Structure formats: structure tokens, C-alpha cells
Amino acid sequence: MMKVEGFDNSLIFSFIEFMKSKGATLEYNNKKHQLDFLIEKEVIIIIRLPLDFELDFEKLKPKEADFKNYVLVMIRSGIASVGFFENFECHQHKVFRAYMTRKKQGKSQIKHLKTKGKSRAGSRIRLQETLEFFDQINERLQEHFDEFRIDKIGISCSETLIPYFYGGKIKTPFDKQDPRIFKIPKHIQNPTFEELIATNKFLLQSEIRISESGALIYQDFIKEIKLKNSSLEENNDDW
């Protein structure tokens, strides 16, 4: 599918009405916070919705956006960041670092254990730091969940590290199947504070993917919007 620039929230509502008029059916994916538009059971257009977008999915009508609190958790080998966002603004954050990588191979201790097993003192130190690393992350999360109501949980974490995230001495304040969890749809190489802020900005924007069969319908919508805008401009000029 081809990616194009997303719409603002008001245009998303207009697009929903437009697609309904074309006979499309809609399916909402809660895990990805996205709308799939289907014609004859084929997904032709997908909109990843902004975090601040609210919709009554039964009536497909706009809904007043609620005050939202959420956490973003981004984990890579040796570095992680956890941010608490109060109504879409970063309220608290913390970056965690650990000695997890074998210098010569550039491989994390976890990956090394899967192939070679434990060996020298350096390996044991790296393993201990790895376990403490995840305990610190979960301790921080526990503090946020104890203090605030959390409506959404955004996670970016490789499959290799997931068992350590959920299986540490200090448990996550939610389980793997928690309906508030969504996967952050963005590759994050280095989860610094700057990347945390950039990711939040990304999540507050929509993103559209279009199949070949959806391209003409999408272009029809764009033409319709341009015509409406040009008509409004002409009316304003008359004044």
C-alpha cells in the first residue's frame, strides 16, 4: 500500500461520511487504533488515527474528545524511555540505560544466552544489569499506574526482549492482553527523550495507506475537498 499525508481530525470525519456514501464498510482495529475501509470485503484504505481522535464507532459519528492519560514505553537493548503523558503533553519521563551489549560482537547478552549460554564473569554482570534494567522500567511504570488513571499504553519493544519485560521480579502493572495496549507503529532505533517527544508528535498525527484499488476513490475525495475550499474562498471574496 502507498502512504500519503494524513488528514486533520475534521477531515477524517468528512472522509468517513464520503466513504459511507461510496458503499464502503468500516472496521476499527483497537490494537492499532486504525480504521479499515472495505469495499466488497477488500481493504482499500487504512487510516491510522491520531491519539486525540474520538469516534462513536457504533454510530460512526464524532464524539467529544475525552481527557486522556497514557504512557509510552520504548525499549531497545541497553536503553529505554518511559513517558507519562497527561492530556497529550509529556508530564514525566525517564531514560534507562544498562550494560547489556558484548563489545566485540555488538550482541546483547540476551541474544548471546540463546546461542552460547552463560560463561564468564562479564556475561553474568551483563545478565544482572539486564534484569535490573527491566525491573527499573516496571518500577517506574508501577509508580505512574499507582498515581494516575492510565487510558492507553503504547509499547515499542523487540520480540526478544518482551519475555524479560513481562517476566521480571517487578511485574508490569498490566498484562499482555490489556485492551489499553497498542503497538507504536514506528521503528525506534534509539529511545532517547528526544525520540519520546518525536514519537508522541507522530502519534498525534494521522497516516493514510491506500491500495491500488482505493486510489481513485481517494482522489475523488481530494477533488471534492478542493472544490469545497475553492467555493468557500469565492464566497469570502464576495464579502
Side-chain angles (χ1 to χ4, degrees):
M1 283 189 159
M2 173 182 67
K3 285 184 182 180
V4 297
E5 187 177 345
F7 300 138
D8 63 26
N9 288 5
S10 61
L11 269 186
I12 293 175
F13 291 123
S14 299
F15 187 70
I16 289 170
E17 293 300 325
F18 176 83
M19 291 301 288
K20 284 165 62 182
S21 74
K22 297 294 182 180
T25 56
L26 281 68
E27 292 181 358
Y28 174 62
N29 185 324
N30 180 64
K31 205 76 174 174
K32 296 182 178 179
H33 193 45
Q34 72 180 31
L35 273 178
D36 297 344
F37 296 86
L38 299 83
I39 289 184
E40 295 180 354
K41 298 183 179 180
E42 179 193 356
V43 177
I44 60 167
I45 296 173
I46 296 171
I47 298 183
R48 177 181 59 76
L49 301 170
L51 275 182
D52 61 351
F53 182 87
E54 293 289 340
L55 182 70
D56 182 332
F57 290 102
E58 289 185 5
K59 298 179 181 178
L60 295 178
K61 294 290 184 182
K63 188 168 73 173
E64 187 176 345
D66 291 331
F67 186 97
K68 268 196 176 65
N69 292 336
Y70 54 95
V71 291
L72 298 182
V73 187
M74 310 190 306
I75 304 172
R76 288 294 176 269
S77 184
I79 181 169
S81 58
V82 174
F84 167 69
F85 292 79
E86 188 174 58
N87 208 31
F88 313 108
E89 296 288 338
C90 186
H91 184 61
Q92 297 179 29
H93 77 277
K94 191 173 179 70
V95 176
F96 303 87
R97 298 179 188 273
Y99 169 53
M100 289 170 59
T101 305
R102 298 167 61 82
K103 287 184 180 178
K104 290 184 181 178
Q105 294 94 334
K107 184 192 292 185
S108 75
Q109 183 59 25
I110 290 170
K111 289 181 180 177
H112 176 72
L113 286 172
K114 286 181 177 291
T115 56
K116 302 291 185 182
K118 281 190 281 188
S119 55
R120 300 176 184 175
S123 295
R124 292 194 293 274
I125 291 170
R126 283 189 295 274
L127 178 58
Q128 183 59 37
E129 289 225 7
T130 297
L131 299 176
E132 289 176 359
F133 174 71
F134 286 99
D135 283 345
Q136 289 168 4
I137 292 168
N138 284 327
E139 185 176 21
R140 181 72 171 194
L141 284 169
Q142 191 68 61
E143 290 172 2
H144 291 323
F145 277 70
D146 287 345
E147 187 173 354
F148 305 104
R149 185 196 79 223
I150 304 297
D151 303 303
K152 288 282 187 181
I153 306 162
I155 298 176
S156 175
C157 182
S158 70
E159 290 299 319
T160 308
L161 300 177
I162 282 288
Y164 292 85
F165 179 49
Y166 285 104
K169 185 172 63 176
I170 297 177
K171 302 298 183 184
T172 57
F174 49 86
D175 61 41
K176 286 183 183 180
Q177 306 306 319
D178 194 304
R180 294 172 293 178
I181 294 174
F182 67 93
K183 182 179 179 181
I184 295 173
K186 180 178 186 280
H187 177 68
I188 295 161
Q189 184 64 37
N190 190 25
T192 59
F193 169 67
E194 290 75 19
E195 187 61 37
L196 185 70
I197 298 303
T199 299
N200 186 59
K201 183 178 179 181
F202 170 80
L203 292 171
L204 290 172
Q205 299 168 344
S206 66
E207 185 177 67
I208 302 171
R209 284 176 286 159
I210 307 166
S211 70
E212 286 186 20
S213 53
L216 286 176
I217 294 178
Y218 174 78
Q219 288 302 324
D220 286 345
F221 175 73
I222 297 300
K223 288 176 186 175
E224 185 177 292
I225 292 300
K226 286 181 177 177
L227 280 173
K228 284 182 180 177
N229 288 341
S230 61
S231 295
L232 285 172
E233 287 174 4
E234 287 174 7
N235 290 336
N236 287 335
D237 288 344
D238 291 342
W239 283 95

